Amino acid sequence: MTRELLINYERCLGCRSCELACATAHSLAKSLFGAVLGGEAPLKRIFVSQSGSRKVPLNCRHCQDAPCIDACITGAMHRNSDGIVTNQGGEAPCTGCWMCVMVCPYGVIRAETGKREAVKCDRNCTDHTGVPACVKACPTGALAFTTVDSHSGKKRKEFLERALK
Amino acid sequence: MKLLVVGGSAAGMSAVLQYHRLKPSDRITVICDEGSFYARCRIPEVLGGDVAAGEISYPAAMPADGRLEVIRGRAESIDPVNHSVLLQDGSLLYYDKLLVTAGSSPVKLGVRGEELKGVFTLRSLGDALSTAEAARSARSAVVCGGGLVGLKGALAMKKWVSDVTVLVGSPGLLSRQLDETGSAMLERELKRIGIKVVFNTLVERFLPSGDGGTLAGVLDKNGGEMEAGVAIVGKGVRPNIDLVSKAGGAAGAGIKVSNRLQTSLPDVYAAGDCIEVTDLLTGRPTPSGLWPLAVEQGRYAAYNMAGALRPYPRPITRMNSAQFGDLPIISAGLRDGEEVYDRLTGRGKAYRRLVFTGGRLVGTILLGDVEKAGIYTGLMRSRRPVKAALRQRLLEGSVCAHDIGLMI
Ligand SMILES: Cc1cc2nc3c(=O)[nH]c(=O)nc-3n(C[C@H](O)[C@H](O)[C@H](O)COP(=O)(O)OP(=O)(O)OC[C@H]3O[C@@H](n4cnc5c(N)ncnc54)[C@H](O)[C@@H]3O)c2cc1C
C-alpha cells in the first residue's frame, strides 16, 4: 500500500517547521545555514496559512485526475513512476506559463516568476525510510505520512469534484 | 473496433493515449496534415529562436506496439453512411468510430496586401519557422492585434528585430482578458522591453516593396504609414468545422457535440478547438479554444468512445495565463458583472480584480502576483456564494484552499 501525506488541522500550531524543512531539503546545500551562506533562497513547497482561527498547512495532494497535468502546455507536468505529480525530470521543460498555477484548486503550485518555473512538492526530500522532510519536522503530528483509509480518500475526491466540475 | 482520429495535437493525442489505455487491442489510426506532434503553445519560443523546432515535441512517448498508426495526410471528407474518410491523396479509410480534432485556423484581416510575402499568422510550427526566417533580415516588424498570440509573437520577434510595433484595434491590450488598469500595467512592461503599442488603430492595407510581392510597410486606417519587413496578423481563430458540417453534421461557430462529445453524425465524435461548448459561467455556446480543454475533451471523448459513460462537465472557456517580460498574468471568467472590486498592492506591482454576480465569483484578473490563482478558478467552478470576509481575503491574496471548503 502506498503512503500519503495526511493533515490533521487541529494539531497545527503554525510553527512553520515544515516550511523550513521543505525549503532546506530542496536547497542545494541541504542545510538552512549552508543555503543562506551560499546565497541560495530556498523555496518551500508546503504553505501554512491562517484560515479563520485555524492554521492550515497544505501541499500538493498528487491528485488522481490532476488538473495541472491536463493544463500543462509543454508536457512538463507528469506523474512519475512513484505516482508523484511533478514538472521536473519529465519529457519537456517547464517554461513558466502558469497554467498549472491557474488550475490547481489547492493553490499549492508556486509561480517562480524570476526563474520562469513552477515550483511544487516533488517528494524529492524523503529520508531513507521514505518519509518527507515536512512530516519529519512536524513537532505536533499535524502532518502524518501513512496509508490512507478509503474514507479520507473519498472525501478528498469529493472536494476535487466539487471544485473542478 | 477501429478508431480513426483526424488531427494529432492536444485533443487528438490525449484521446489516443487514453483510448489506448482503455482498449489496448483496438486499432487506432491518426491522420494529421502536420509532420510532427508538438506543443503548439510553444511555437513563439521557436519563432524567437529560444529553442529548435525539434525541442517542442509533445508527447514524446507514444505507444509503439503496432496498434497505432500515424498517417501524414489531409482528410478531405467524411462519408457518414459508409463510415469512411476520404484523404486528399484519394485513399479511403474506414472507421468504426471517428474522432475529429481539426483545431482552428487564424482569422484573416481581409485587407489588401495580406497575401504579400512577409505577412504571417502564428498558428503552426511551419508559421513560426517562416516568420523567424523573415524576421531575421527585417529591420522593423508590425503585429496586428493586441491579443495573447499577437503579443507572444511581438515578444518573440523582438529577439530578431529592434523595431517592433503592435497595432491594436481596441483601446486596450488583451481586451478579452484585461481591464484598463491591467492593460496599462502590461503596456508599461512592453514599453520597458522596447515594444511600441498603438491603440485604436486598424490596418487599411499592407504595402508592397518595389518588386510588388514582398511586404514593405503598413498603412493604417488613419492614413499613417509605417515601414515593416515582417508582419504577424493576430486576430483570433475560427474553429475548423468544414469536415463535419459538409458531411451534414450540426455546427454553429464550432462543431456541435453532446455532453459525450458526440457530433450529430453517427459514431463521429469531436473535441478541442474545432468544437463549441456551453460555457459554465454564461450558459452560452462558445468555441472551446484552450489547450487544457482540448486535452480534457480528448480524454472524455476516449472514455465515451470506449463505451464508458462520462458526461463532459461545462468548462470555463475564458481562462488564460501568460508572462510578458517580468509580468505574470492570469485572467479567468467574465470581465463584467454586478459587483467589481479591485486592488493594487505591493507598491503598485500586484493587481487583483474580482467580478461577482449573484454573490458568486465569475471573473478574476491577477497581474504581477498570480500565486494561488487556482483557488479563484476553483471557486468560480464550484459556484459557491462568496461572503464579504472571503472576498476581502481574495482581494488581499491571503486566501487558502481551506477557505473555499477544503477539509481533508
Ligand atoms: C502561439 C499560440 C499560443 C497559445 N497559447 C495558449 C495558452 O497559453 N493557453 C491555452 O490554453 N491555449 C493556447 N493556445 C491555443 C492552443 O494551442 C489550442 O487551444 C490547442 O492547440 C487546441 O488543440 P486541438 O488539438 O484542438 O487543435 P490543434 O492544436 O489546432 O490541432 C489540430 C491539428 O489537426 C490538423 N488538421 C486539421 N484539419 C485536418 C484535416 N482535415 N486533415 C488532417 N489534419 C488536419 C491541424 O493541422 C493540426 O495539426 C495557443 C495557440 C497558439 C497558436
Side-chain angles (χ1 to χ4, degrees), chain A residues 15-26 42-49 56-58 133-134 137 143:
Chain A
C15 72
R16 299 186 184 268
S17 302
C18 54
E19 292 186 349
L20 213 60
C22 173
T24 306
H26 284 95
L43 299 173
K44 60 185 180 187
R45 294 120 199 269
I46 184 164
F47 311 94
V48 182
S49 309
V56 183
L58 203 58
C134 55
L143 300 178

mmCIF file with all atom_site columns, all heavy atoms in Angstrom, chain A residues 15-26 42-49 56-58 133-134 137 143:
data_model
loop_
_atom_site.group_PDB
_atom_site.id
_atom_site.type_symbol
_atom_site.label_atom_id
_atom_site.label_alt_id
_atom_site.label_comp_id
_atom_site.label_asym_id
_atom_site.label_entity_id
_atom_site.label_seq_id
_atom_site.pdbx_PDB_ins_code
_atom_site.Cartn_x
_atom_site.Cartn_y
_atom_site.Cartn_z
_atom_site.occupancy
_atom_site.B_iso_or_equiv
_atom_site.pdbx_formal_charge
_atom_site.auth_seq_id
_atom_site.auth_comp_id
_atom_site.auth_asym_id
_atom_site.auth_atom_id
_atom_site.pdbx_PDB_model_num
ATOM 1   N N   . CYS A 1 15  ? 3.814  26.645 13.486 1.00 0.00 ? 15  CYS A N   1
ATOM 2   C CA  . CYS A 1 15  ? 5.224  26.925 13.796 1.00 0.00 ? 15  CYS A CA  1
ATOM 3   C C   . CYS A 1 15  ? 6.088  27.014 12.544 1.00 0.00 ? 15  CYS A C   1
ATOM 4   O O   . CYS A 1 15  ? 7.210  27.478 12.589 1.00 0.00 ? 15  CYS A O   1
ATOM 5   C CB  . CYS A 1 15  ? 5.788  25.867 14.733 1.00 0.00 ? 15  CYS A CB  1
ATOM 6   S SG  . CYS A 1 15  ? 6.049  24.257 13.937 1.00 0.00 ? 15  CYS A SG  1
ATOM 7   N N   . ARG A 1 16  ? 5.557  26.556 11.455 1.00 0.00 ? 16  ARG A N   1
ATOM 8   C CA  . ARG A 1 16  ? 6.234  26.627 10.149 1.00 0.00 ? 16  ARG A CA  1
ATOM 9   C C   . ARG A 1 16  ? 7.527  25.814 10.064 1.00 0.00 ? 16  ARG A C   1
ATOM 10  O O   . ARG A 1 16  ? 8.363  26.062 9.194  1.00 0.00 ? 16  ARG A O   1
ATOM 11  C CB  . ARG A 1 16  ? 6.516  28.083 9.758  1.00 0.00 ? 16  ARG A CB  1
ATOM 12  C CG  . ARG A 1 16  ? 5.236  28.901 9.628  1.00 0.00 ? 16  ARG A CG  1
ATOM 13  C CD  . ARG A 1 16  ? 5.475  30.292 9.112  1.00 0.00 ? 16  ARG A CD  1
ATOM 14  N NE  . ARG A 1 16  ? 4.228  31.049 9.104  1.00 0.00 ? 16  ARG A NE  1
ATOM 15  C CZ  . ARG A 1 16  ? 3.404  31.120 8.069  1.00 0.00 ? 16  ARG A CZ  1
ATOM 16  N NH1 . ARG A 1 16  ? 3.698  30.497 6.952  1.00 0.00 ? 16  ARG A NH1 1
ATOM 17  N NH2 . ARG A 1 16  ? 2.295  31.812 8.144  1.00 0.00 ? 16  ARG A NH2 1
ATOM 18  N N   . SER A 1 17  ? 7.683  24.851 10.966 1.00 0.00 ? 17  SER A N   1
ATOM 19  C CA  . SER A 1 17  ? 8.843  23.961 10.872 1.00 0.00 ? 17  SER A CA  1
ATOM 20  C C   . SER A 1 17  ? 8.830  23.209 9.547  1.00 0.00 ? 17  SER A C   1
ATOM 21  O O   . SER A 1 17  ? 9.873  22.950 8.952  1.00 0.00 ? 17  SER A O   1
ATOM 22  C CB  . SER A 1 17  ? 8.838  22.941 12.012 1.00 0.00 ? 17  SER A CB  1
ATOM 23  O OG  . SER A 1 17  ? 8.830  23.591 13.247 1.00 0.00 ? 17  SER A OG  1
ATOM 24  N N   . CYS A 1 18  ? 7.625  22.862 9.085  1.00 0.00 ? 18  CYS A N   1
ATOM 25  C CA  . CYS A 1 18  ? 7.506  22.106 7.835  1.00 0.00 ? 18  CYS A CA  1
ATOM 26  C C   . CYS A 1 18  ? 8.014  22.933 6.657  1.00 0.00 ? 18  CYS A C   1
ATOM 27  O O   . CYS A 1 18  ? 8.728  22.419 5.793  1.00 0.00 ? 18  CYS A O   1
ATOM 28  C CB  . CYS A 1 18  ? 6.063  21.669 7.606  1.00 0.00 ? 18  CYS A CB  1
ATOM 29  S SG  . CYS A 1 18  ? 4.860  23.023 7.669  1.00 0.00 ? 18  CYS A SG  1
ATOM 30  N N   . GLU A 1 19  ? 7.642  24.210 6.647  1.00 0.00 ? 19  GLU A N   1
ATOM 31  C CA  . GLU A 1 19  ? 8.064  25.083 5.549  1.00 0.00 ? 19  GLU A CA  1
ATOM 32  C C   . GLU A 1 19  ? 9.585  25.162 5.482  1.00 0.00 ? 19  GLU A C   1
ATOM 33  O O   . GLU A 1 19  ? 10.195 25.053 4.412  1.00 0.00 ? 19  GLU A O   1
ATOM 34  C CB  . GLU A 1 19  ? 7.488  26.497 5.734  1.00 0.00 ? 19  GLU A CB  1
ATOM 35  C CG  . GLU A 1 19  ? 5.973  26.580 5.583  1.00 0.00 ? 19  GLU A CG  1
ATOM 36  C CD  . GLU A 1 19  ? 5.459  28.016 5.626  1.00 0.00 ? 19  GLU A CD  1
ATOM 37  O OE1 . GLU A 1 19  ? 6.248  28.919 5.981  1.00 0.00 ? 19  GLU A OE1 1
ATOM 38  O OE2 . GLU A 1 19  ? 4.270  28.223 5.305  1.00 0.00 ? 19  GLU A OE2 1
ATOM 39  N N   . LEU A 1 20  ? 10.168 25.332 6.651  1.00 0.00 ? 20  LEU A N   1
ATOM 40  C CA  . LEU A 1 20  ? 11.620 25.469 6.732  1.00 0.00 ? 20  LEU A CA  1
ATOM 41  C C   . LEU A 1 20  ? 12.313 24.184 6.289  1.00 0.00 ? 20  LEU A C   1
ATOM 42  O O   . LEU A 1 20  ? 13.273 24.211 5.502  1.00 0.00 ? 20  LEU A O   1
ATOM 43  C CB  . LEU A 1 20  ? 11.981 25.786 8.185  1.00 0.00 ? 20  LEU A CB  1
ATOM 44  C CG  . LEU A 1 20  ? 13.181 26.675 8.416  1.00 0.00 ? 20  LEU A CG  1
ATOM 45  C CD1 . LEU A 1 20  ? 12.956 28.027 7.755  1.00 0.00 ? 20  LEU A CD1 1
ATOM 46  C CD2 . LEU A 1 20  ? 13.395 26.866 9.927  1.00 0.00 ? 20  LEU A CD2 1
ATOM 47  N N   . ALA A 1 21  ? 11.804 23.055 6.796  1.00 0.00 ? 21  ALA A N   1
ATOM 48  C CA  . ALA A 1 21  ? 12.413 21.764 6.466  1.00 0.00 ? 21  ALA A CA  1
ATOM 49  C C   . ALA A 1 21  ? 12.287 21.479 4.975  1.00 0.00 ? 21  ALA A C   1
ATOM 50  O O   . ALA A 1 21  ? 13.203 20.958 4.341  1.00 0.00 ? 21  ALA A O   1
ATOM 51  C CB  . ALA A 1 21  ? 11.749 20.654 7.274  1.00 0.00 ? 21  ALA A CB  1
ATOM 52  N N   . CYS A 1 22  ? 11.135 21.854 4.413  1.00 0.00 ? 22  CYS A N   1
ATOM 53  C CA  . CYS A 1 22  ? 10.896 21.629 2.983  1.00 0.00 ? 22  CYS A CA  1
ATOM 54  C C   . CYS A 1 22  ? 11.878 22.454 2.158  1.00 0.00 ? 22  CYS A C   1
ATOM 55  O O   . CYS A 1 22  ? 12.535 21.938 1.259  1.00 0.00 ? 22  CYS A O   1
ATOM 56  C CB  . CYS A 1 22  ? 9.465  22.018 2.629  1.00 0.00 ? 22  CYS A CB  1
ATOM 57  S SG  . CYS A 1 22  ? 9.112  21.982 0.867  1.00 0.00 ? 22  CYS A SG  1
ATOM 58  N N   . ALA A 1 23  ? 11.984 23.722 2.492  1.00 0.00 ? 23  ALA A N   1
ATOM 59  C CA  . ALA A 1 23  ? 12.870 24.604 1.733  1.00 0.00 ? 23  ALA A CA  1
ATOM 60  C C   . ALA A 1 23  ? 14.316 24.126 1.828  1.00 0.00 ? 23  ALA A C   1
ATOM 61  O O   . ALA A 1 23  ? 15.039 24.083 0.840  1.00 0.00 ? 23  ALA A O   1
ATOM 62  C CB  . ALA A 1 23  ? 12.749 26.035 2.257  1.00 0.00 ? 23  ALA A CB  1
ATOM 63  N N   . THR A 1 24  ? 14.709 23.721 3.038  1.00 0.00 ? 24  THR A N   1
ATOM 64  C CA  . THR A 1 24  ? 16.086 23.280 3.241  1.00 0.00 ? 24  THR A CA  1
ATOM 65  C C   . THR A 1 24  ? 16.378 22.007 2.452  1.00 0.00 ? 24  THR A C   1
ATOM 66  O O   . THR A 1 24  ? 17.399 21.896 1.779  1.00 0.00 ? 24  THR A O   1
ATOM 67  C CB  . THR A 1 24  ? 16.348 23.031 4.742  1.00 0.00 ? 24  THR A CB  1
ATOM 68  O OG1 . THR A 1 24  ? 15.988 24.205 5.451  1.00 0.00 ? 24  THR A OG1 1
ATOM 69  C CG2 . THR A 1 24  ? 17.799 22.709 4.991  1.00 0.00 ? 24  THR A CG2 1
ATOM 70  N N   . ALA A 1 25  ? 15.442 21.046 2.547  1.00 0.00 ? 25  ALA A N   1
ATOM 71  C CA  . ALA A 1 25  ? 15.646 19.772 1.854  1.00 0.00 ? 25  ALA A CA  1
ATOM 72  C C   . ALA A 1 25  ? 15.746 19.977 0.345  1.00 0.00 ? 25  ALA A C   1
ATOM 73  O O   . ALA A 1 25  ? 16.389 19.191 -0.351 1.00 0.00 ? 25  ALA A O   1
ATOM 74  C CB  . ALA A 1 25  ? 14.506 18.810 2.170  1.00 0.00 ? 25  ALA A CB  1
ATOM 75  N N   . HIS A 1 26  ? 15.113 21.040 -0.170 1.00 0.00 ? 26  HIS A N   1
ATOM 76  C CA  . HIS A 1 26  ? 15.172 21.300 -1.602 1.00 0.00 ? 26  HIS A CA  1
ATOM 77  C C   . HIS A 1 26  ? 16.301 22.245 -1.987 1.00 0.00 ? 26  HIS A C   1
ATOM 78  O O   . HIS A 1 26  ? 16.425 22.624 -3.138 1.00 0.00 ? 26  HIS A O   1
ATOM 79  C CB  . HIS A 1 26  ? 13.837 21.864 -2.088 1.00 0.00 ? 26  HIS A CB  1
ATOM 80  C CG  . HIS A 1 26  ? 12.774 20.824 -2.207 1.00 0.00 ? 26  HIS A CG  1
ATOM 81  N ND1 . HIS A 1 26  ? 11.866 20.578 -1.214 1.00 0.00 ? 26  HIS A ND1 1
ATOM 82  C CD2 . HIS A 1 26  ? 12.495 19.940 -3.206 1.00 0.00 ? 26  HIS A CD2 1
ATOM 83  C CE1 . HIS A 1 26  ? 11.062 19.597 -1.592 1.00 0.00 ? 26  HIS A CE1 1
ATOM 84  N NE2 . HIS A 1 26  ? 11.413 19.191 -2.794 1.00 0.00 ? 26  HIS A NE2 1
ATOM 85  N N   . PRO A 1 42  ? 16.181 29.362 -0.538 1.00 0.00 ? 42  PRO A N   1
ATOM 86  C CA  . PRO A 1 42  ? 15.500 28.067 -0.623 1.00 0.00 ? 42  PRO A CA  1
ATOM 87  C C   . PRO A 1 42  ? 13.988 28.249 -0.763 1.00 0.00 ? 42  PRO A C   1
ATOM 88  O O   . PRO A 1 42  ? 13.418 29.127 -0.123 1.00 0.00 ? 42  PRO A O   1
ATOM 89  C CB  . PRO A 1 42  ? 15.836 27.396 0.704  1.00 0.00 ? 42  PRO A CB  1
ATOM 90  C CG  . PRO A 1 42  ? 16.948 28.186 1.299  1.00 0.00 ? 42  PRO A CG  1
ATOM 91  C CD  . PRO A 1 42  ? 16.808 29.577 0.763  1.00 0.00 ? 42  PRO A CD  1
ATOM 92  N N   . LEU A 1 43  ? 13.385 27.449 -1.616 1.00 0.00 ? 43  LEU A N   1
ATOM 93  C CA  . LEU A 1 43  ? 11.963 27.603 -1.895 1.00 0.00 ? 43  LEU A CA  1
ATOM 94  C C   . LEU A 1 43  ? 11.157 26.493 -1.239 1.00 0.00 ? 43  LEU A C   1
ATOM 95  O O   . LEU A 1 43  ? 11.413 25.321 -1.449 1.00 0.00 ? 43  LEU A O   1
ATOM 96  C CB  . LEU A 1 43  ? 11.730 27.556 -3.403 1.00 0.00 ? 43  LEU A CB  1
ATOM 97  C CG  . LEU A 1 43  ? 12.437 28.645 -4.210 1.00 0.00 ? 43  LEU A CG  1
ATOM 98  C CD1 . LEU A 1 43  ? 12.279 28.385 -5.686 1.00 0.00 ? 43  LEU A CD1 1
ATOM 99  C CD2 . LEU A 1 43  ? 11.898 30.011 -3.831 1.00 0.00 ? 43  LEU A CD2 1
ATOM 100 N N   . LYS A 1 44  ? 10.158 26.918 -0.458 1.00 0.00 ? 44  LYS A N   1
ATOM 101 C CA  . LYS A 1 44  ? 9.308  25.918 0.180  1.00 0.00 ? 44  LYS A CA  1
ATOM 102 C C   . LYS A 1 44  ? 8.202  25.493 -0.777 1.00 0.00 ? 44  LYS A C   1
ATOM 103 O O   . LYS A 1 44  ? 7.795  26.251 -1.665 1.00 0.00 ? 44  LYS A O   1
ATOM 104 C CB  . LYS A 1 44  ? 8.715  26.490 1.451  1.00 0.00 ? 44  LYS A CB  1
ATOM 105 C CG  . LYS A 1 44  ? 7.877  27.725 1.189  1.00 0.00 ? 44  LYS A CG  1
ATOM 106 C CD  . LYS A 1 44  ? 7.377  28.369 2.455  1.00 0.00 ? 44  LYS A CD  1
ATOM 107 C CE  . LYS A 1 44  ? 6.562  29.598 2.092  1.00 0.00 ? 44  LYS A CE  1
ATOM 108 N NZ  . LYS A 1 44  ? 6.155  30.400 3.216  1.00 0.00 ? 44  LYS A NZ  1
ATOM 109 N N   . ARG A 1 45  ? 7.706  24.282 -0.543 1.00 0.00 ? 45  ARG A N   1
ATOM 110 C CA  . ARG A 1 45  ? 6.626  23.762 -1.374 1.00 0.00 ? 45  ARG A CA  1
ATOM 111 C C   . ARG A 1 45  ? 5.452  23.324 -0.505 1.00 0.00 ? 45  ARG A C   1
ATOM 112 O O   . ARG A 1 45  ? 4.553  22.618 -0.950 1.00 0.00 ? 45  ARG A O   1
ATOM 113 C CB  . ARG A 1 45  ? 7.119  22.573 -2.195 1.00 0.00 ? 45  ARG A CB  1
ATOM 114 C CG  . ARG A 1 45  ? 8.178  22.970 -3.217 1.00 0.00 ? 45  ARG A CG  1
ATOM 115 C CD  . ARG A 1 45  ? 9.483  22.261 -2.989 1.00 0.00 ? 45  ARG A CD  1
ATOM 116 N NE  . ARG A 1 45  ? 10.596 22.949 -3.653 1.00 0.00 ? 45  ARG A NE  1
ATOM 117 C CZ  . ARG A 1 45  ? 10.994 22.683 -4.881 1.00 0.00 ? 45  ARG A CZ  1
ATOM 118 N NH1 . ARG A 1 45  ? 10.419 21.750 -5.568 1.00 0.00 ? 45  ARG A NH1 1
ATOM 119 N NH2 . ARG A 1 45  ? 11.999 23.343 -5.407 1.00 0.00 ? 45  ARG A NH2 1
ATOM 120 N N   . ILE A 1 46  ? 5.501  23.704 0.758  1.00 0.00 ? 46  ILE A N   1
ATOM 121 C CA  . ILE A 1 46  ? 4.359  23.494 1.656  1.00 0.00 ? 46  ILE A CA  1
ATOM 122 C C   . ILE A 1 46  ? 4.087  24.853 2.282  1.00 0.00 ? 46  ILE A C   1
ATOM 123 O O   . ILE A 1 46  ? 5.021  25.633 2.503  1.00 0.00 ? 46  ILE A O   1
ATOM 124 C CB  . ILE A 1 46  ? 4.646  22.404 2.720  1.00 0.00 ? 46  ILE A CB  1
ATOM 125 C CG1 . ILE A 1 46  ? 3.403  22.144 3.584  1.00 0.00 ? 46  ILE A CG1 1
ATOM 126 C CG2 . ILE A 1 46  ? 5.859  22.754 3.600  1.00 0.00 ? 46  ILE A CG2 1
ATOM 127 C CD1 . ILE A 1 46  ? 3.475  20.840 4.371  1.00 0.00 ? 46  ILE A CD1 1
ATOM 128 N N   . PHE A 1 47  ? 2.820  25.155 2.490  1.00 0.00 ? 47  PHE A N   1
ATOM 129 C CA  . PHE A 1 47  ? 2.468  26.502 2.912  1.00 0.00 ? 47  PHE A CA  1
ATOM 130 C C   . PHE A 1 47  ? 1.530  26.457 4.104  1.00 0.00 ? 47  PHE A C   1
ATOM 131 O O   . PHE A 1 47  ? 0.518  25.769 4.067  1.00 0.00 ? 47  PHE A O   1
ATOM 132 C CB  . PHE A 1 47  ? 1.775  27.244 1.766  1.00 0.00 ? 47  PHE A CB  1
ATOM 133 C CG  . PHE A 1 47  ? 2.533  27.124 0.473  1.00 0.00 ? 47  PHE A CG  1
ATOM 134 C CD1 . PHE A 1 47  ? 2.210  26.125 -0.442 1.00 0.00 ? 47  PHE A CD1 1
ATOM 135 C CD2 . PHE A 1 47  ? 3.583  27.978 0.195  1.00 0.00 ? 47  PHE A CD2 1
ATOM 136 C CE1 . PHE A 1 47  ? 2.916  25.986 -1.620 1.00 0.00 ? 47  PHE A CE1 1
ATOM 137 C CE2 . PHE A 1 47  ? 4.306  27.841 -0.976 1.00 0.00 ? 47  PHE A CE2 1
ATOM 138 C CZ  . PHE A 1 47  ? 3.975  26.856 -1.892 1.00 0.00 ? 47  PHE A CZ  1
ATOM 139 N N   . VAL A 1 48  ? 1.859  27.187 5.153  1.00 0.00 ? 48  VAL A N   1
ATOM 140 C CA  . VAL A 1 48  ? 0.974  27.281 6.310  1.00 0.00 ? 48  VAL A CA  1
ATOM 141 C C   . VAL A 1 48  ? 0.204  28.595 6.206  1.00 0.00 ? 48  VAL A C   1
ATOM 142 O O   . VAL A 1 48  ? 0.808  29.664 6.162  1.00 0.00 ? 48  VAL A O   1
ATOM 143 C CB  . VAL A 1 48  ? 1.772  27.235 7.629  1.00 0.00 ? 48  VAL A CB  1
ATOM 144 C CG1 . VAL A 1 48  ? 0.812  27.285 8.814  1.00 0.00 ? 48  VAL A CG1 1
ATOM 145 C CG2 . VAL A 1 48  ? 2.639  25.985 7.691  1.00 0.00 ? 48  VAL A CG2 1
ATOM 146 N N   . SER A 1 49  ? -1.112 28.487 6.110  1.00 0.00 ? 49  SER A N   1
ATOM 147 C CA  . SER A 1 49  ? -1.941 29.688 6.019  1.00 0.00 ? 49  SER A CA  1
ATOM 148 C C   . SER A 1 49  ? -2.835 29.789 7.240  1.00 0.00 ? 49  SER A C   1
ATOM 149 O O   . SER A 1 49  ? -3.044 28.812 7.965  1.00 0.00 ? 49  SER A O   1
ATOM 150 C CB  . SER A 1 49  ? -2.837 29.650 4.783  1.00 0.00 ? 49  SER A CB  1
ATOM 151 O OG  . SER A 1 49  ? -2.090 29.368 3.642  1.00 0.00 ? 49  SER A OG  1
ATOM 152 N N   . VAL A 1 56  ? -3.482 26.321 8.686  1.00 0.00 ? 56  VAL A N   1
ATOM 153 C CA  . VAL A 1 56  ? -3.678 25.303 7.654  1.00 0.00 ? 56  VAL A CA  1
ATOM 154 C C   . VAL A 1 56  ? -2.394 25.045 6.874  1.00 0.00 ? 56  VAL A C   1
ATOM 155 O O   . VAL A 1 56  ? -2.003 25.834 6.033  1.00 0.00 ? 56  VAL A O   1
ATOM 156 C CB  . VAL A 1 56  ? -4.776 25.749 6.665  1.00 0.00 ? 56  VAL A CB  1
ATOM 157 C CG1 . VAL A 1 56  ? -5.038 24.664 5.645  1.00 0.00 ? 56  VAL A CG1 1
ATOM 158 C CG2 . VAL A 1 56  ? -6.047 26.111 7.394  1.00 0.00 ? 56  VAL A CG2 1
ATOM 159 N N   . PRO A 1 57  ? -1.723 23.928 7.178  1.00 0.00 ? 57  PRO A N   1
ATOM 160 C CA  . PRO A 1 57  ? -0.577 23.557 6.356  1.00 0.00 ? 57  PRO A CA  1
ATOM 161 C C   . PRO A 1 57  ? -1.076 22.789 5.129  1.00 0.00 ? 57  PRO A C   1
ATOM 162 O O   . PRO A 1 57  ? -1.977 21.962 5.251  1.00 0.00 ? 57  PRO A O   1
ATOM 163 C CB  . PRO A 1 57  ? 0.233  22.633 7.269  1.00 0.00 ? 57  PRO A CB  1
ATOM 164 C CG  . PRO A 1 57  ? -0.742 22.109 8.276  1.00 0.00 ? 57  PRO A CG  1
ATOM 165 C CD  . PRO A 1 57  ? -1.966 22.986 8.282  1.00 0.00 ? 57  PRO A CD  1
ATOM 166 N N   . LEU A 1 58  ? -0.547 23.113 3.971  1.00 0.00 ? 58  LEU A N   1
ATOM 167 C CA  . LEU A 1 58  ? -1.058 22.462 2.765  1.00 0.00 ? 58  LEU A CA  1
ATOM 168 C C   . LEU A 1 58  ? 0.041  22.324 1.722  1.00 0.00 ? 58  LEU A C   1
ATOM 169 O O   . LEU A 1 58  ? 0.800  23.256 1.493  1.00 0.00 ? 58  LEU A O   1
ATOM 170 C CB  . LEU A 1 58  ? -2.204 23.310 2.199  1.00 0.00 ? 58  LEU A CB  1
ATOM 171 C CG  . LEU A 1 58  ? -3.223 22.614 1.302  1.00 0.00 ? 58  LEU A CG  1
ATOM 172 C CD1 . LEU A 1 58  ? -3.869 21.448 2.037  1.00 0.00 ? 58  LEU A CD1 1
ATOM 173 C CD2 . LEU A 1 58  ? -4.294 23.597 0.860  1.00 0.00 ? 58  LEU A CD2 1
ATOM 174 N N   . ALA A 1 133 ? 10.424 15.438 4.271  1.00 0.00 ? 133 ALA A N   1
ATOM 175 C CA  . ALA A 1 133 ? 11.064 16.323 5.249  1.00 0.00 ? 133 ALA A CA  1
ATOM 176 C C   . ALA A 1 133 ? 10.059 17.095 6.093  1.00 0.00 ? 133 ALA A C   1
ATOM 177 O O   . ALA A 1 133 ? 10.261 17.288 7.293  1.00 0.00 ? 133 ALA A O   1
ATOM 178 C CB  . ALA A 1 133 ? 11.993 17.292 4.521  1.00 0.00 ? 133 ALA A CB  1
ATOM 179 N N   . CYS A 1 134 ? 8.947  17.518 5.487  1.00 0.00 ? 134 CYS A N   1
ATOM 180 C CA  . CYS A 1 134 ? 7.961  18.302 6.233  1.00 0.00 ? 134 CYS A CA  1
ATOM 181 C C   . CYS A 1 134 ? 7.350  17.484 7.361  1.00 0.00 ? 134 CYS A C   1
ATOM 182 O O   . CYS A 1 134 ? 7.124  17.983 8.467  1.00 0.00 ? 134 CYS A O   1
ATOM 183 C CB  . CYS A 1 134 ? 6.876  18.836 5.299  1.00 0.00 ? 134 CYS A CB  1
ATOM 184 S SG  . CYS A 1 134 ? 6.051  17.580 4.316  1.00 0.00 ? 134 CYS A SG  1
ATOM 185 N N   . ALA A 1 137 ? 9.735  16.971 10.224 1.00 0.00 ? 137 ALA A N   1
ATOM 186 C CA  . ALA A 1 137 ? 9.998  18.182 11.001 1.00 0.00 ? 137 ALA A CA  1
ATOM 187 C C   . ALA A 1 137 ? 8.826  18.594 11.880 1.00 0.00 ? 137 ALA A C   1
ATOM 188 O O   . ALA A 1 137 ? 8.982  19.401 12.788 1.00 0.00 ? 137 ALA A O   1
ATOM 189 C CB  . ALA A 1 137 ? 10.343 19.324 10.048 1.00 0.00 ? 137 ALA A CB  1
ATOM 190 N N   . LEU A 1 143 ? 1.188  16.734 10.637 1.00 0.00 ? 143 LEU A N   1
ATOM 191 C CA  . LEU A 1 143 ? 1.450  16.092 9.351  1.00 0.00 ? 143 LEU A CA  1
ATOM 192 C C   . LEU A 1 143 ? 1.820  14.638 9.614  1.00 0.00 ? 143 LEU A C   1
ATOM 193 O O   . LEU A 1 143 ? 2.655  14.349 10.470 1.00 0.00 ? 143 LEU A O   1
ATOM 194 C CB  . LEU A 1 143 ? 2.621  16.780 8.626  1.00 0.00 ? 143 LEU A CB  1
ATOM 195 C CG  . LEU A 1 143 ? 2.448  18.264 8.296  1.00 0.00 ? 143 LEU A CG  1
ATOM 196 C CD1 . LEU A 1 143 ? 3.705  18.803 7.634  1.00 0.00 ? 143 LEU A CD1 1
ATOM 197 C CD2 . LEU A 1 143 ? 1.241  18.477 7.393  1.00 0.00 ? 143 LEU A CD2 1
#
